Amino acid sequence: MSAIGAVRQIALSAGRDLDVTLAFWRDVLGMAVHARFDPPGIAFIMAGDVRLLFTDGIPAGTVYLDMSGLDDFHAEARAAGVPFTAPPMLVHNDTEGQFGPAGESEWMAFLKDPAGNTIGLVERHPPQEPH
């Protein structure tokens, strides 16, 4: 019997200008292009073992990325003029350990890239860590 493994690839909109979208991911998020093919005008960025495929002609998507230093990133990016749709906020107290170690809290902030994709930045904090 076959079994599904890990997520391999996620497709995100490149919008009208692939170069502008890729520049945002590189300059704001620090994620470099892994591969690009012209034609047809597609590019890949690696998020761990998952390929993010950027192409035109598909709707904008939403992707959640783990990160450390969320508060510092948010402050620096905002100071550089990056607009956030939501600042870092507590979204879940994982008291039961459903999504990681029990007692951790999960914080998220949201922003959009030039193609309209929503990017959720996620950081988990150990129990009772001051925020």
Side-chain angles (χ1 to χ4, degrees):
M1 175 177 212
S2 298
I4 299 295
V7 172
R8 172 74 56 197
Q9 180 169 295
I10 296 171
L12 297 170
S13 175
R16 296 174 191 220
D17 191 332
L18 179 59
D19 291 325
V20 170
T21 299
L22 295 176
F24 177 90
W25 283 76
R26 178 194 64 226
D27 298 343
V28 174
L29 300 173
M31 299 178 78
V33 172
H34 179 75
R36 183 170 178 167
F37 302 96
D38 289 311
I42 63 173
F44 297 89
I45 291 175
M46 297 302 294
D49 292 332
V50 177
R51 294 186 301 235
L52 303 179
L53 161 67
F54 292 86
T55 186
D56 193 15
I58 64 170
T62 301
V63 63
Y64 293 79
L65 303 171
D66 283 332
M67 81 171 317
S68 60
L70 179 59
D71 285 331
D72 290 341
F73 173 82
H74 177 256
E76 292 169 14
R78 288 233 3 185
V82 175
F84 280 74
T85 56
M89 67 185 114
L90 174 65
V91 296
H92 179 63
N93 281 314
D94 197 359
T95 56
E96 303 299 317
Q98 212 170 2
F99 300 105
E104 286 189 346
S105 60
E106 195 160 287
W107 292 74
M108 293 184 188
F110 293 89
L111 62 157
K112 288 190 180 281
D113 72 8
N117 297 301
T118 299
I119 303 160
L121 301 174
V122 183
E123 183 175 37
R124 289 189 54 100
H125 292 261
Q128 301 177 348
E129 178 181 309
H131 186 75

